[in-house]
Amino acid sequence: MKITPSARVLRMLGEIEFDEWQCIAELIDNAFDDFTEIHRSGAPWAGGYRVSVELPDSTQGQLVITDTGRGMTYDRLERAVRAGWSGNDMHDKLGLFGMGFNVSTARLGKRTRVLTTRQGDTEWIGVEIDLDRIGDDFEAEDITEPKTDPNEHGTRIVISRLHPTRARWLNKNGSALRNILGQVYSWMFLNRPFELWVGGFQVKPVRHCRWGDDRSVLYNNKERIPAYIKIDQKLENGLACGDCGQWQLTDRDTCEDCGSDRLTIRERRVHGWLGIQRYMHKHDYGIDFLRNGRKILRWDKQLFTWRNPDGAVGNEEPEYPVDLAHQGGRIIGEIHLDHVPVTYQKDAFEYGDRSWRSAVEIVRGVAPLLPQRAANLEYEENTSPLALLFKGFRRNDAGLRYLVPGDGRKPIHDDTRRWGQEFHRGNPDYQSDERWWQAVEDHEAAKSGGKNAKAAAVTPGRPDEAAVMEALGFSGADIGKPSTSLGGADESNLGVEPQSPKDGDPFAPVVSASQRRPETRQERVTRYMESSTTYPALSRSFGHPRIGFVEIETRQLTVGGLTDENLHPTPVLLDQRAGNSLVAFLDIGHPIFQKFGVDPADLLLAEIAVLLRVRAETEWSHSELIAAIRAESLPATALDAQMISAEAQELLAEIRHRMVSELDRTGEAEKAYHYLSPDELTATEHAMIANGKVTRTADLGTSGEFLLHVPALFLVRLVESLPAAFMDGRVFQGVYEGVASASARRLSLARTVGYLSDVATQATFAGTSLPNQLLRTRLSIRLLADDLAEEK
């Protein structure tokens, strides 16, 4: 069999490099092309659409790829293995370039056997391509094999004498290979009855963990922006060459690139979707671009950068993510561009082609995504699908405004990423977005409760000092009032008549004074479920590899208190469910939390440790077990300087944006700018240049945007210097102009500035700190977050 390559391919083969997975994908593409033709015909197909990849068991093994396609005749087989030939139309198929078979097989091993048969044939026919034996005549040996079942059909490729490095990779990375192929062909697996098996395991589609079609946010309290946007825009049909794929002028009879007369009118269409991922990720976000159902680009981020067409080379400006960029991003999508040409490696589109440029304009528009930047450059507002999502979801603040789960104070990104891992593992409890949505609603409920309690503390008509003292938490006896409640169990909901605890002991049992039937445990647990909300920060898997794990759903009571089996008030109660699942109820109003300030995680860990210690019959001490479970299951609670600095920077980024908005709203940006010292101005300019924000110093004070780049400690001094601009619910809740007493103003401002100073110091000096210093900073972060005003 002659396999003479064309001169065009000979020049190209030495320049193309394929990774191992790309070599496998090239051979899968050819099978899926055959499957697609069969599937489009609508005819039933015996044996199904299946490709199997048998991985080598050693460097001396072989790679086998088998499909259940139609098989080939001798003539078609001869053309198929000839480098440079392609019977595929450049716009309909995955196997685009003909030489993909030769490049991929040659890179994997030195000998390739191709055997094929059609239904009804009496034998398998094929060819053996041995790169060590083929001479200048380019003739390969014909081979045949007997056929046990005349109804067999398909093609089998056996590659042997594998290159050692590639064989080792294939032998050790079966799981990684399945994951990559599950991403590349996910659309195929979800929309066509195709199967791919690698190393004996079926390749599953890697789906996007996005918010549901019905989720949205409210922008500026008037514009509803969905978390999922469908795109389907047809362009004017074009004339394309079936040989080289180039688009032509409509009045041509032959291709201007290759001279072929195989010109046909083709549909040009940009379709797919953009959406919001349910969790933030540093790498796994961006847009997937597909051609004929295969992903060419995965997690592509180039549309998040604006390139000024009137600027110099290298003028690119990243626009997303910019706010809290260290967290990563969450804008995702799948865009089909079947009409846009791709490179020979199928790892990029031809970016210089006008079809690609038109698609980019449809998806992200021509103007910057940032409205202010667009206005400054005299562009009209960008209304593209990407710009719409950017406007609605560019920030990552917890709550309904940006559709981010939180714990009442801050986003819970670590938890949502963990939930995303469960989604990808196929855990049925994490497939819908309900868990994420519940965490958003629980955050809003917790935040609203805290804000309302603080607002209620400042009652008009009271003396200034008393109002401020109570707003700061110095209530009861501290301002001359008797203490009211210790926050124990609410007996009115227990089904028994309340009786005061003995001798004022808040931990004494609640005893019924009547003969009515007491609640059963199941009745109490049902009531607790109905009167509680999810506590996301402590809802997770708890345990350690040496003693096992349990799945805990933690819930915070909103009404009443908890009692144990003996009706003693308890801060934590575990309720066993099916298997290793438990529900943990928290009574945050219990004195151990309110009076002694104990962390709820500490008591929950103590309860879990007792349970796991009995189950595992471990020799670990109780304290050792608690320490091990905390380190394994709650790593984010560690007093890690780098982690706490990241939290501080995240909160400061939020505060910076709010302060900018207030300065721009009140027109006090120039006034604030004059508080910069020469050293701070220099540091601000350096920070702006490092972030690509090159501007003239003379323009800095025209808007509040310079605050995004000033040294963190300057924010402290600015709040002290201009308290009226940021207090009283503008940026911080603390009262200032709302009271007449100078001493009350100083007290309220000192509290806010103290928290802000701790946070700014940690963000500025992220070096080694003592545990108590880190603990103080973490508490200041939480308290300062609580002090932020409700976002307008």
Side-chain angles (χ1 to χ4, degrees), residues 361-389:
E361 185 172 337
I362 290 171
V363 176
R364 73 140 287 150
V366 296
L369 299 177
L370 291 163
Q372 190 59 51
R373 179 182 293 169
N376 293 341
L377 294 171
E378 299 183 348
Y379 280 94
E380 293 185 1
E381 181 183 359
N382 191 335
T383 58
S384 67
L386 181 59
L388 187 63
L389 278 185

Side-chain angles (χ1 to χ4, degrees), residues 32-77:
F32 280 0
D33 282 337
D34 192 28
F35 290 171
T36 298
E37 287 190 3
I38 301 170
H39 186 250
R40 284 175 178 169
S41 72
W45 189 244
Y49 306 93
R50 177 169 174 153
V51 177
S52 299
V53 180
E54 181 183 320
L55 299 174
D57 55 6
S58 68
T59 57
Q60 304 301 317
Q62 60 186 19
L63 176 73
V64 183
I65 300 176
T66 307
D67 69 61
T68 58
R70 293 173 296 189
M72 293 177 278
T73 64
Y74 182 88
D75 290 340
R76 183 171 179 83
L77 173 62

Side-chain angles (χ1 to χ4, degrees), residues 491-741:
E491 296 91 343
S492 63
N493 288 320
L494 291 175
V496 296
E497 293 183 13
Q499 187 177 37
S500 300
K502 296 177 182 179
D503 302 322
D505 181 2
F507 302 104
V510 178
V511 182
S512 172
S514 72
Q515 298 301 316
R516 285 181 292 174
R517 180 182 66 83
E519 274 186 314
T520 66
R521 176 183 172 85
Q522 186 56 48
E523 288 172 340
R524 283 189 294 116
V525 168
T526 299
R527 176 164 54 82
Y528 295 156
M529 287 294 295
E530 294 172 348
S531 305
S532 62
T533 59
T534 303
Y535 196 84
L538 295 178
S539 295
R540 64 185 62 218
S541 176
F542 283 90
H544 189 274
R546 285 182 56 181
I547 46 94
F549 290 84
V550 288
E551 293 294 329
I552 302 289
E553 178 192 358
T554 303
R555 300 182 66 84
Q556 175 183 340
L557 255 64
T558 56
V559 177
L562 290 171
T563 57
D564 61 16
E565 301 293 345
N566 300 311
L567 296 183
H568 287 87
T570 181
V572 180
L573 180 69
L574 292 183
D575 183 58
Q576 180 72 51
R577 299 300 167 92
N580 283 332
S581 298
L582 297 98
V583 174
F585 296 102
L586 291 179
D587 176 13
I588 299 300
H590 193 281
I592 198 67
F593 300 127
Q594 296 298 319
K595 188 174 183 178
F596 297 98
V598 172
D599 185 348
D602 292 334
L603 296 189
L604 178 59
L605 286 172
E607 295 283 349
I608 295 171
V610 171
L611 177 67
L612 290 177
R613 191 164 189 261
V614 172
R615 286 188 182 182
E617 298 181 353
T618 179
E619 296 180 354
W620 279 2
S621 68
H622 200 69
S623 58
E624 185 180 10
L625 192 55
I626 292 175
I629 296 174
R630 178 180 279 277
E632 178 73 22
S633 304
L634 295 173
T637 63
L639 292 176
D640 178 82
Q642 186 175 1
M643 185 182 300
I644 293 176
S645 294
E647 292 177 9
Q649 290 166 359
E650 183 176 323
L651 179 57
L652 282 179
E654 166 69 9
I655 291 171
R656 288 176 190 269
H657 282 285
R658 294 195 183 199
M659 292 177 71
V660 168
S661 297
E662 281 302 311
L663 290 181
D664 289 342
R665 184 184 66 83
T666 59
E668 293 192 301
E670 184 176 359
K671 183 177 181 180
Y673 171 74
H674 289 304
Y675 284 100
L676 283 169
S677 68
D679 288 345
E680 289 167 336
L681 177 59
T682 300
T684 301
E685 291 178 326
H686 288 171
M688 296 183 76
I689 293 172
N691 288 298
K693 309 290 183 182
V694 182
T695 186
R696 296 187 309 152
T697 302
D699 298 331
L700 283 183
T702 57
S703 76
E705 190 176 1
F706 74 93
L707 280 187
L708 301 178
H709 311 281
V710 298
L713 288 168
F714 173 74
L715 301 176
V716 180
R717 188 153 55 83
L718 186 61
V719 172
E720 287 180 311
S721 302
L722 296 175
F726 306 114
M727 303 290 285
D728 292 307
R730 294 178 176 87
V731 174
F732 306 102
Q733 290 188 84
V735 293
Y736 190 76
E737 293 186 321
V739 292
S741 166

Side-chain angles (χ1 to χ4, degrees), residues 291-411:
R291 192 180 194 278
N292 295 327
R294 170 180 163 166
K295 290 183 180 177
I296 304 300
L297 299 174
R298 292 171 292 141
W299 306 121
D300 189 69
K301 301 170 179 62
Q302 58 185 303
L303 266 64
F304 299 149
T305 295
W306 186 70
R307 294 168 177 81
N308 188 344
D310 300 323
V313 175
N315 68 92
E316 296 86 354
E317 295 186 58
E319 296 188 293
Y320 178 84
V322 175
D323 303 336
L324 312 181
H326 67 278
Q327 294 177 351
R330 56 183 177 137
I331 294 179
I332 56 176
E334 285 188 354
I335 304 296
H336 295 257
L337 303 176
D338 297 344
H339 65 287
V340 181
V342 300
T343 62
Y344 287 105
Q345 294 97 326
K346 300 180 194 172
D347 58 0
F349 287 86
E350 295 287 357
Y351 299 131
D353 190 273
R354 56 181 177 269
S355 299
W356 168 259
R357 296 195 296 270
S358 297
V360 170
E361 185 172 337
I362 290 171
V363 176
R364 73 140 287 150
V366 296
L369 299 177
L370 291 163
Q372 190 59 51
R373 179 182 293 169
N376 293 341
L377 294 171
E378 299 183 348
Y379 280 94
E380 293 185 1
E381 181 183 359
N382 191 335
T383 58
S384 67
L386 181 59
L388 187 63
L389 278 185
F390 175 82
K391 180 168 65 174
F393 299 91
R394 60 174 286 188
R395 301 274 292 280
N396 307 319
D397 309 341
L400 288 169
R401 172 59 189 87
Y402 295 103
L403 208 57
V404 175
D407 60 6
R409 292 190 179 96
K410 65 183 186 308

Side-chain angles (χ1 to χ4, degrees), residues 749-766:
L749 179 61
R751 183 189 70 156
T752 297
V753 168
Y755 299 155
L756 182 59
S757 179
D758 285 346
V759 175
T761 300
Q762 184 66 39
T764 303
F765 306 103

